Amino acid sequence: MAVERTLSIVKPDGVGRNLIGDVYRRFEQAGLKVVAARMMQLSQAEAESFYGVHRERGFFKDLVKFMISGPVMVQVLEGEGAIAKNRDVMGATDPKKADKGTIRADLATSIDENIVHGSDAADTAAREIAFFFRETEICPRKR
Ligand code: ATP
Ligand code: MG
């Protein structure tokens, strides 16, 4: 399988509950390497733009409100099949439906506050990485 990059976010609940390290440990144990990272406070406009595909959904307003409720940790993960692998490590959107051992099953409290975001396909990964990082801010890992 090809080496891919994907965009990951530890959401405000994960940062606020001091779970950054727990989440990063799970990425690293799955063979996903952090190749760029930044903590930041999203503006309302940034959150609306980032989750723009969901603009028409009933949960959009609450989703944006939640995503700007505190700082987030944004990272690019690199590895073999990184996009699907990260989704596996994250677990299903609804923590009640997520497999045991996944971030969302083990750590999340509800579908609204589900700790992490991860890109869902190659095209969205490319778009989402470019949303947050310049190419020069990404550090390819040789080892
Ligand atoms: P994310 O994009 O955050 O990684 P996801 O890809 O698993 O999550 P999406 O369908 O893209 O899920 O939804 C984006 C976010 O919107 C979810 O993480 C969740 O917080 C929220 N969301 C999705 N579906 C619902 C729903 N039915 N009710 C409430 N919130 C929802
Ligand atoms: Mg999604």
Side-chain angles (χ1 to χ4, degrees):
M1 196 174 275
V3 173
E4 296 174 339
R5 287 176 181 170
T6 191
L7 193 279
S8 162
I9 302 176
V10 182
K11 296 182 179 184
D13 56 336
V15 174
R17 290 172 55 206
N18 252 5
L19 294 173
I20 296 170
D22 194 328
V23 171
Y24 271 45
R25 177 181 60 76
R26 291 163 188 261
F27 293 152
E28 294 187 329
Q29 283 185 345
L32 293 165
K33 295 175 176 178
V34 177
V35 295
R38 184 191 311 122
M39 183 174 280
M40 61 187 294
Q41 170 68 52
L42 291 175
S43 68
Q44 173 147 342
E46 284 169 334
E48 286 175 352
S49 170
F50 183 77
Y51 274 120
V53 289
H54 296 309
R55 203 173 287 274
E56 305 304 323
R57 308 286 291 276
F59 57 78
F60 181 70
K61 242 182 134 185
D62 286 341
L63 175 60
V64 169
K65 202 171 153 194
F66 167 59
M67 289 300 290
I68 66 173
S69 66
V72 295
M73 191 75 194
V74 188
Q75 48 281 329
V76 178
L77 304 177
E78 187 178 84
E80 295 267 316
I83 298 165
K85 187 176 280 183
N86 180 43
R87 299 286 297 190
D88 286 346
V89 173
M90 289 164 57
T93 309
D94 183 350
K96 288 196 285 292
K97 295 180 183 152
D99 291 336
K100 205 165 168 284
T102 62
I103 291 169
R104 284 165 166 170
D106 293 355
L107 306 176
T109 53
S110 72
I111 192 168
D112 305 285
E113 304 208 352
N114 58 7
I115 306 279
V116 276
H117 163 83
S119 308
D120 56 15
D123 57 340
T124 51
R127 182 176 64 74
E128 291 177 1
I129 289 168
F131 187 93
F132 287 110
F133 296 99
R134 301 165 195 275
E135 192 59 34
T136 51
E137 293 176 309
I138 302 173
C139 305
R141 298 269 295 264
K142 293 193 179 70
R143 43 178 273 172

